[in-house]
Amino acid sequence: MSASQPPLGPDDPTLADVPTLLVKIFGKDRPGITAGLFDTLASYAVDVIDIEQVVSRGRLVLCALVTAPTTGGTTEGELRATVHSWAESLKLQAEIISGTGDNRPRGSGRSHVTVLGHPLTAEATAAIAGRISDMGANIDRIFRLAKYPVTAVEFAVSGVETEPLRTALATESHEIGVDVAVVSAGLHRRAQRLVVMDVDSTLIQDEVIELFAAHAGCEDEVAAVTAAAMRGELDFEQSLHARVALLEGLDASVVDKVRTEVRLTPGARTLIRTLKRLGFQVGVVSGGFTQVTDDLKERLGLDFASANTLEIKDGKLTGRVVGDIVDRAGKARLLRAFAAEAGVPLAQTVAIGDGANDLDMLNAAGLGVAFNAKPVVRKAAHTAVNVPFLDTVLYLLGITREEVEAADDGTEEH
């Protein structure tokens, strides 16, 4: 390239015929290697087309795609000799490959595939990568999002549409025992989102009605009905009325006791705190009771909360609920209402739940996450998380553990 020519960019249509060099540097990482390589290349007036660098367990792999030298009478051979000499002086290895043009264009249909393992085995990784390849797709890049409490890695995949890839990997992940989420690539992933969660056995570890039932001495009867409802064997509204009826006559002071007994799911505070720092809005919908969800909204700084309301008269629970019932259809309706109020398109919403009455909400959301869910829910949701840490949902959004910890600045993690 002559000095009078404009510099080439990676999208320049003439780049395909331009001689280029792929310079690869390997060795022990230390400060200054990247600057040193490009100081060395600067002597040959080359243009930088692409750069990739990764450090794993203190070992560096640095790749630079540059135009071949064509000015000042210098030759490719001289550049090669200089780079090798520089690398040897730092006890690094260098490899230089001649070619033309840039990287081949990525295929159409681009997705982010997040894999969660506890642990993530080589066998599971091979199975996921193999299924991607079998579909005719290519893995363009791999990046680790987290190393604890789970190992989370993200694959940038191209060459196949998101929905068939999601279906294929959902089947594969179930068979090999890892969690896999597939979302389409694009600017929408960085846009503001609304995250809406179920409460019982999702945001919290408990079933709130069972906490009330323990004070009423009917815990076993209520638990049996709850389990059947969550499996989808009973109509939710009927089961709700049947369970609440068992609480008739309970003193209203029990509400404060139940609030203190509620146990947040590990990672719940981290999830909400991080989402709020990112400017996301967060809400909860529950088949439980406003007497608890209103308290959670205040404690956790939630933007939205909706649930059923226990009727209280003369200081006693009447065994009835008042107002509209928040059931399976109601949760989906509330998700849409929250999204409209937040000004967030439904495609930019994330719903998290564990039971059959969460299915409509999970399917309505842009991303539905089954969290330690019943089999019927895992099968129907977009993706499933089967580890007991709610903040692993952050990895599905492309947020790394390091980013979470940096934002926390030393505050408690879970």
Side-chain angles (χ1 to χ4, degrees), residues 175-216:
E175 293 175 356
I176 62 179
V178 297
D179 299 330
V180 178
V182 182
V183 297
S184 59
L187 288 176
H188 65 276
R189 201 179 190 212
R190 299 182 180 90
Q192 185 190 60
R193 290 193 176 189
L194 167 69
V195 178
V196 176
M197 290 174 276
D198 173 44
V199 175
D200 294 8
S201 299
T202 300
L203 178 62
I204 66 174
Q205 300 177 60
D206 312 282
E207 292 287 334
V208 168
I209 196 165
E210 292 179 13
L211 297 179
F212 278 101
H215 292 281

Side-chain angles (χ1 to χ4, degrees), residues 27-64:
K28 185 177 180 180
D29 186 38
R30 74 203 77 169
I33 292 177
T34 304
L37 172 62
F38 287 98
D39 277 342
T40 303
L41 293 171
S43 302
Y44 296 90
V46 299
D47 294 334
V48 177
I49 306 302
D50 197 5
I51 308 172
E52 291 279 354
Q53 179 174 307
V54 63
V55 177
S56 182
R57 211 178 66 178
R59 306 297 292 183
L60 168 82
V61 179
L62 169 60
C63 297

Side-chain angles (χ1 to χ4, degrees), residues 182-365:
V182 182
V183 297
S184 59
L187 288 176
H188 65 276
R189 201 179 190 212
R190 299 182 180 90
Q192 185 190 60
R193 290 193 176 189
L194 167 69
V195 178
V196 176
M197 290 174 276
D198 173 44
V199 175
D200 294 8
S201 299
T202 300
L203 178 62
I204 66 174
Q205 300 177 60
D206 312 282
E207 292 287 334
V208 168
I209 196 165
E210 292 179 13
L211 297 179
F212 278 101
H215 292 281
C218 57
E219 187 176 12
D220 290 343
E221 297 96 313
V222 166
V225 178
T226 299
M230 291 300 99
R231 290 192 300 268
E233 297 171 2
L234 294 175
D235 173 79
F236 178 81
E237 183 172 351
Q238 291 177 335
S239 69
L240 175 68
H241 289 305
R243 290 174 292 174
V244 170
L246 296 170
L247 306 181
E248 183 180 1
L250 197 60
D251 194 275
S253 63
V254 79
V255 169
D256 289 334
K257 295 178 183 178
V258 167
R259 287 174 174 173
T260 64
E261 293 167 352
V262 166
R263 300 167 300 161
L264 292 174
T265 298
R269 289 187 183 277
T270 301
L271 172 66
I272 294 169
R273 182 172 63 243
T274 303
L275 292 173
K276 297 292 289 181
R277 284 173 175 166
L278 288 170
F280 289 17
Q281 298 190 60
V282 185
V284 294
V285 290
S286 177
F289 309 110
T290 57
Q291 282 83 356
V292 171
T293 57
D294 288 350
D295 180 63
L296 288 170
K297 180 182 179 183
E298 182 178 351
R299 285 167 51 195
L300 300 174
L302 302 173
D303 299 286
F304 304 99
S306 188
N308 300 301
T309 299
L310 291 169
E311 184 181 59
I312 298 175
K313 288 186 177 180
D314 301 324
K316 303 285 185 181
L317 273 64
T318 66
R320 296 186 296 270
V321 292
V322 294
D324 294 335
I325 298 298
V326 178
D327 55 8
R328 175 169 168 168
K331 288 187 174 185
R333 183 178 64 253
L334 286 164
L335 170 71
R336 293 185 176 93
F338 293 168
E341 185 174 343
V344 175
L346 200 60
Q348 290 298 113
T349 62
V350 179
I352 311 168
D354 75 300
N357 65 328
D358 297 315
L359 278 173
D360 288 3
M361 175 178 73
L362 297 181
N363 289 329

Side-chain angles (χ1 to χ4, degrees), residues 15-91:
L15 186 60
D17 299 324
V18 172
T20 54
L21 300 175
L22 177 59
V23 181
K24 303 170 70 176
I25 305 297
F26 313 88
K28 185 177 180 180
D29 186 38
R30 74 203 77 169
I33 292 177
T34 304
L37 172 62
F38 287 98
D39 277 342
T40 303
L41 293 171
S43 302
Y44 296 90
V46 299
D47 294 334
V48 177
I49 306 302
D50 197 5
I51 308 172
E52 291 279 354
Q53 179 174 307
V54 63
V55 177
S56 182
R57 211 178 66 178
R59 306 297 292 183
L60 168 82
V61 179
L62 169 60
C63 297
L65 183 65
V66 300
T67 55
T70 58
T71 61
T74 58
T75 66
E76 179 182 318
E78 290 171 329
L79 181 149
R80 287 175 175 270
T82 302
V83 171
H84 280 288
S85 177
W86 167 80
E88 289 172 5
S89 72
L90 296 178
K91 297 182 179 179

